[in-house]
mmCIF file of all heavy atoms in Angstrom:
data_model
loop_
_atom_site.group_PDB
_atom_site.id
_atom_site.type_symbol
_atom_site.label_atom_id
_atom_site.label_comp_id
_atom_site.label_asym_id
_atom_site.label_seq_id
_atom_site.Cartn_x
_atom_site.Cartn_y
_atom_site.Cartn_z
ATOM 1 N N LYS F 141 -3.114 -20.457 25.621
ATOM 2 C CA LYS F 141 -2.137 -20.863 26.683
ATOM 3 C C LYS F 141 -1.156 -19.832 27.085
ATOM 4 O O LYS F 141 0.042 -20.073 27.387
ATOM 5 C CB LYS F 141 -1.363 -22.137 26.200
ATOM 6 C CG LYS F 141 -2.291 -23.276 25.939
ATOM 7 C CD LYS F 141 -1.516 -24.598 25.624
ATOM 8 C CE LYS F 141 -2.434 -25.794 25.452
ATOM 9 N NZ LYS F 141 -1.671 -27.057 25.176
ATOM 10 N N GLY F 142 -1.607 -18.562 27.049
ATOM 11 C CA GLY F 142 -0.754 -17.481 27.477
ATOM 12 C C GLY F 142 -0.080 -16.767 26.354
ATOM 13 O O GLY F 142 0.016 -17.228 25.185
ATOM 14 N N ARG F 143 0.446 -15.606 26.676
ATOM 15 C CA ARG F 143 1.031 -14.681 25.682
ATOM 16 C C ARG F 143 2.257 -15.301 24.979
ATOM 17 O O ARG F 143 2.393 -15.303 23.779
ATOM 18 C CB ARG F 143 1.447 -13.369 26.351
ATOM 19 C CG ARG F 143 2.004 -12.332 25.391
ATOM 20 C CD ARG F 143 2.479 -11.130 26.177
ATOM 21 N NE ARG F 143 1.413 -10.549 26.973
ATOM 22 C CZ ARG F 143 1.554 -9.481 27.788
ATOM 23 N NH1 ARG F 143 2.772 -8.954 27.958
ATOM 24 N NH2 ARG F 143 0.533 -9.022 28.456
ATOM 25 N N TRP F 144 3.198 -15.810 25.806
ATOM 26 C CA TRP F 144 4.446 -16.349 25.240
ATOM 27 C C TRP F 144 4.225 -17.611 24.474
ATOM 28 O O TRP F 144 4.843 -17.833 23.391
ATOM 29 C CB TRP F 144 5.512 -16.566 26.326
ATOM 30 C CG TRP F 144 5.962 -15.289 26.920
ATOM 31 C CD1 TRP F 144 5.607 -14.851 28.183
ATOM 32 C CD2 TRP F 144 6.774 -14.282 26.308
ATOM 33 N NE1 TRP F 144 6.196 -13.577 28.394
ATOM 34 C CE2 TRP F 144 6.928 -13.240 27.304
ATOM 35 C CE3 TRP F 144 7.433 -14.211 25.120
ATOM 36 C CZ2 TRP F 144 7.656 -12.090 27.021
ATOM 37 C CZ3 TRP F 144 8.153 -13.065 24.850
ATOM 38 C CH2 TRP F 144 8.308 -12.063 25.813
ATOM 39 N N ARG F 145 3.296 -18.478 24.916
ATOM 40 C CA ARG F 145 3.017 -19.705 24.156
ATOM 41 C C ARG F 145 2.318 -19.312 22.878
ATOM 42 O O ARG F 145 2.536 -20.022 21.850
ATOM 43 C CB ARG F 145 2.107 -20.531 25.030
ATOM 44 C CG ARG F 145 1.708 -21.875 24.339
ATOM 45 C CD ARG F 145 2.920 -22.752 24.004
ATOM 46 N NE ARG F 145 2.480 -23.957 23.295
ATOM 47 C CZ ARG F 145 2.102 -25.093 23.925
ATOM 48 N NH1 ARG F 145 2.085 -25.142 25.235
ATOM 49 N NH2 ARG F 145 1.714 -26.101 23.212
ATOM 50 N N THR F 146 1.518 -18.281 22.855
ATOM 51 C CA THR F 146 0.847 -17.824 21.639
ATOM 52 C C THR F 146 1.875 -17.408 20.569
ATOM 53 O O THR F 146 1.806 -17.824 19.388
ATOM 54 C CB THR F 146 -0.073 -16.667 21.905
ATOM 55 O OG1 THR F 146 -1.093 -17.082 22.813
ATOM 56 C CG2 THR F 146 -0.685 -16.154 20.628
ATOM 57 N N LYS F 147 2.871 -16.675 21.022
ATOM 58 C CA LYS F 147 3.964 -16.276 20.113
ATOM 59 C C LYS F 147 4.720 -17.448 19.561
ATOM 60 O O LYS F 147 5.135 -17.500 18.354
ATOM 61 C CB LYS F 147 4.867 -15.232 20.770
ATOM 62 C CG LYS F 147 4.247 -13.913 21.092
ATOM 63 C CD LYS F 147 5.222 -12.996 21.769
ATOM 64 C CE LYS F 147 4.638 -11.583 21.918
ATOM 65 N NZ LYS F 147 3.400 -11.533 22.670
ATOM 66 N N LEU F 148 5.013 -18.398 20.469
ATOM 67 C CA LEU F 148 5.779 -19.564 20.014
ATOM 68 C C LEU F 148 4.950 -20.431 19.026
ATOM 69 O O LEU F 148 5.476 -20.893 18.056
ATOM 70 C CB LEU F 148 6.119 -20.460 21.279
ATOM 71 C CG LEU F 148 6.855 -21.798 20.973
ATOM 72 C CD1 LEU F 148 8.167 -21.506 20.320
ATOM 73 C CD2 LEU F 148 7.006 -22.581 22.293
ATOM 74 N N ASN F 149 3.624 -20.559 19.299
ATOM 75 C CA ASN F 149 2.797 -21.309 18.382
ATOM 76 C C ASN F 149 2.733 -20.644 17.013
ATOM 77 O O ASN F 149 2.776 -21.324 15.993
ATOM 78 C CB ASN F 149 1.394 -21.388 18.976
ATOM 79 C CG ASN F 149 1.310 -22.263 20.200
ATOM 80 O OD1 ASN F 149 2.144 -23.113 20.417
ATOM 81 N ND2 ASN F 149 0.255 -22.112 20.969
ATOM 82 N N MET F 150 2.705 -19.341 17.011
ATOM 83 C CA MET F 150 2.686 -18.604 15.741
ATOM 84 C C MET F 150 3.969 -18.806 14.981
ATOM 85 O O MET F 150 3.951 -19.030 13.774
ATOM 86 C CB MET F 150 2.540 -17.103 16.063
ATOM 87 C CG MET F 150 2.103 -16.216 14.912
ATOM 88 S SD MET F 150 1.851 -14.511 15.485
ATOM 89 C CE MET F 150 0.752 -14.768 16.850
ATOM 90 N N PHE F 151 5.127 -18.749 15.661
ATOM 91 C CA PHE F 151 6.398 -18.919 15.011
ATOM 92 C C PHE F 151 6.556 -20.287 14.442
ATOM 93 O O PHE F 151 7.001 -20.545 13.311
ATOM 94 C CB PHE F 151 7.547 -18.578 15.971
ATOM 95 C CG PHE F 151 8.902 -18.759 15.411
ATOM 96 C CD1 PHE F 151 9.431 -17.747 14.594
ATOM 97 C CD2 PHE F 151 9.648 -19.916 15.613
ATOM 98 C CE1 PHE F 151 10.692 -17.881 14.049
ATOM 99 C CE2 PHE F 151 10.886 -20.033 15.071
ATOM 100 C CZ PHE F 151 11.426 -19.017 14.276
ATOM 101 N N VAL F 152 6.189 -21.304 15.243
ATOM 102 C CA VAL F 152 6.304 -22.729 14.872
ATOM 103 C C VAL F 152 5.411 -22.975 13.655
ATOM 104 O O VAL F 152 5.781 -23.729 12.708
ATOM 105 C CB VAL F 152 6.004 -23.659 16.022
ATOM 106 C CG1 VAL F 152 5.900 -25.106 15.578
ATOM 107 C CG2 VAL F 152 7.028 -23.525 17.111
#
Side-chain angles (χ1 to χ4, degrees):
K141 297 187 177 182
R143 181 185 305 176
W144 293 106
R145 179 63 182 272
T146 298
K147 292 180 173 57
L148 178 62
N149 292 340
M150 197 179 305
F151 180 81
V152 171

